[in-house]
Amino acid sequence: MSLDSDVIVDRRRIRRKLTFWRVVAALIAIAAIVTVGLIAAPGRGLTTGGSIARINIEGLIRSDQERVEALEQLEKSKAAAVIVHINSPGGTTAGSEQLYDALTRLKAKKPLVVVVEGLAASGGYITAIASDHIIARQSSLVGSIGVLFQFPNFSELLKTVGVKVEEVKSSPLKAAPNGFEPTSPEARAALDSLVKDSYAWFRGLVKERRGMDDALLEKVSDGRVFTGRQAVDLKLIDQLGDEKTAIAWLVAQKGVKADLPVRDYKLAPRFGDLTFLRTAAAITLDALGLSSVARQIEQTGVAQAADRLGLEGMLALWHPAGAN
């Protein structure tokens, strides 16, 4: 009996020690993750003049103050030049304008060239024309100069299910359109005015930045996208090519040294989306016995599906009919 009691006590002691060391290991891993995350934060690691900074603009464009701050840090760095890779269908007009302004300020401090990868449409094109030189692949899609205000209307569905939404508001145009009733002519006219004003701003920006006359501007600003091959003749871009073409332009036109390496500059790396951080987090959770959670983090990352969130406000967004 005494022997059994001693065995039980020993097992409990070992279990407590194992738990203690698991917690210590987890704390060490977390500290390492935080340290590496700080090192990988925007603006870190690009402090010498011996490189060209490569930044990527991908997916939907929204207002992003962290991205603006990262670009401001890049302004102050010793990077010799900047290559901006764009692959975006656009986003909100306000977010696109914010990014355009930030890149314009950066261009005033450093030579900057844009390379269009798959797509630079709507707000993505607004971003591109911040540069004085735009390069695109032959099959890239460029343009979609236009503004969209899109909203669902459930009024017919509500009638079918017998639901009525009642409201009290200060004036007829308050919170209009709301999607619960047919859009009034007055509300539609107000929205039309907003869209036309933003569209005029977009067109004026393209005309100024790309040096177009009215006839050419009219031709390219009907909302269509164009291939890179077409875009050259339409003055939407300057040259066909890729990153090597961009480097050659920087060397020839801006006096950048030809042998400088190109290094990635992260605008806003999200802590949980960095692969090595996900792996470290998964190992830590495994040690704590949370294997199922660890597998989810390994597979998806913490900041998954950010681009699937709804966009609010007016959009400068390429939205092909086939995606509806």
Side-chain angles (χ1 to χ4, degrees), residues 41-44 46 51-59 66-75 77 79 81-88 99-107 110-117 127-128 130-131 243 246 250 261-269:
R44 300 297 181 95
L46 195 68
S51 65
I52 298 170
R54 177 197 294 121
I55 63 178
N56 293 288
I57 307 296
E58 299 177 330
E66 287 185 3
R67 181 176 58 207
V68 171
E69 292 171 1
L71 290 172
E72 288 174 348
Q73 290 183 31
L74 183 54
E75 285 180 38
S77 77
V82 181
I83 299 176
V84 182
H85 287 260
I86 299 177
N87 188 14
S88 171
L99 180 54
Y100 169 86
D101 288 341
L103 289 175
T104 299
R105 291 192 296 270
L106 176 59
K107 183 192 66 177
K110 299 182 182 298
L112 185 149
V113 59
V114 160
V115 177
V116 178
E117 294 297 341
T127 302
S131 171
E243 184 173 273
L250 288 171
V262 180
R263 296 177 180 169
D264 285 328
Y265 182 87
K266 300 295 184 181
L267 291 180

Side-chain angles (χ1 to χ4, degrees), residues 60-63 89-98 122-123 126 146-151 176-177 187-202 310-318:
L60 298 176
I61 298 172
R62 300 177 178 83
S63 296
T92 65
T93 51
S96 302
E97 181 183 2
Q98 181 196 57
S122 294
I126 292 174
V147 178
L148 171 70
F149 197 111
Q150 194 173 51
F151 55 93
R188 188 170 294 277
L191 293 178
D192 184 64
S193 175
L194 292 177
V195 169
K196 285 181 177 177
D197 185 67
S198 290
Y199 180 48
W201 166 78
F202 194 169
L311 294 172
E312 295 183 354
M314 279 186 294
L315 307 181
L317 178 67
W318 186 57

